[in-house]
Amino acid sequence: MPSLFEHAGGEDALHRLEQIFYDSVLRDPLLQPLFGAGRPEHVDHLTAFTAESFGGPDRFSRELGFAQLIAVHRGLKIDERQRARFVELYMKALDEAQLPADPAFRDAVREHVEFGSRVAMQNSHATSDDELHPLREVPRWTWPGDQD
């Protein structure tokens, strides 16, 4: 069975997903304040992170690094409503992007986004490095279909 990256359709499919998701976030009154006017490179960064998490190329780690991800979330003070809305919009974007709809894939994606949004929320409230989530590298997300 393929990795999540392969099952999703590779980099092109994930880029389409992240573009749809990012556009929805920028239109959402609850989340838009966290993202401001948006940044053109953000979709590419999201794509690289998701691709690496799902078993694709390690471009995010090589080109951006996890410390950058921690830094962009610090001080945002993400609340639970925003975190839950982030997950909701991400899962809706999967449909619009026409990514696979099988339950095992969707469950793995939801677990990935739930985990990541909780890490981001914790880091957004950290006032010291000791309060940051201990994760310091892109997590490798697997699913029952992954042979690794």
Side-chain angles (χ1 to χ4, degrees):
M1 298 271 304
S3 66
L4 286 167
F5 175 77
E6 294 163 333
H7 192 72
E11 186 111 8
D12 289 342
L14 292 176
H15 188 273
R16 186 173 64 250
L17 165 66
E18 300 298 0
Q19 185 68 63
I20 290 166
F21 169 68
Y22 194 61
D23 290 346
S24 73
V25 163
L26 294 179
R27 289 189 307 266
D28 188 84
L30 187 59
L31 295 180
Q32 185 278 325
L34 298 174
F35 290 84
R39 295 187 338 259
E41 68 278 6
H42 205 163
V43 171
D44 184 56
H45 296 176
L46 289 168
T47 302
F49 180 83
T50 303
E52 186 171 337
S53 290
F54 285 4
D58 66 348
R59 187 167 62 90
F60 186 90
S61 292
R62 284 184 293 105
E63 295 178 10
L64 298 166
F66 202 79
Q68 181 266 352
L69 186 61
I70 292 171
V72 300
H73 289 103
R74 286 190 89 161
L76 289 178
K77 306 242 185 277
I78 300 166
D79 66 32
E80 177 56 28
R81 287 181 335 128
Q82 291 168 318
R83 189 206 66 76
R85 182 70 175 150
F86 183 96
V87 173
E88 177 187 348
L89 291 179
Y90 201 92
M91 298 308 292
K92 284 182 179 181
L94 287 170
D95 289 332
E96 194 174 333
Q98 299 180 329
L99 265 62
D102 52 286
F105 176 76
R106 293 296 175 101
D107 287 349
V109 172
R110 178 177 287 281
E111 289 170 7
H112 166 74
V113 177
E114 288 280 354
F115 174 77
S117 65
R118 290 182 193 289
V119 170
M121 186 168 75
Q122 179 176 338
N123 290 345
S124 78
H125 289 272
T127 58
S128 70
D129 288 353
D130 291 340
E131 293 176 357
L132 292 169
H133 190 279
L135 186 67
R136 293 295 184 272
E137 61 186 25
V138 176
R140 170 75 162 79
W141 216 257
T142 60
W143 66 311
D146 197 342
Q147 295 292 317
D148 285 352

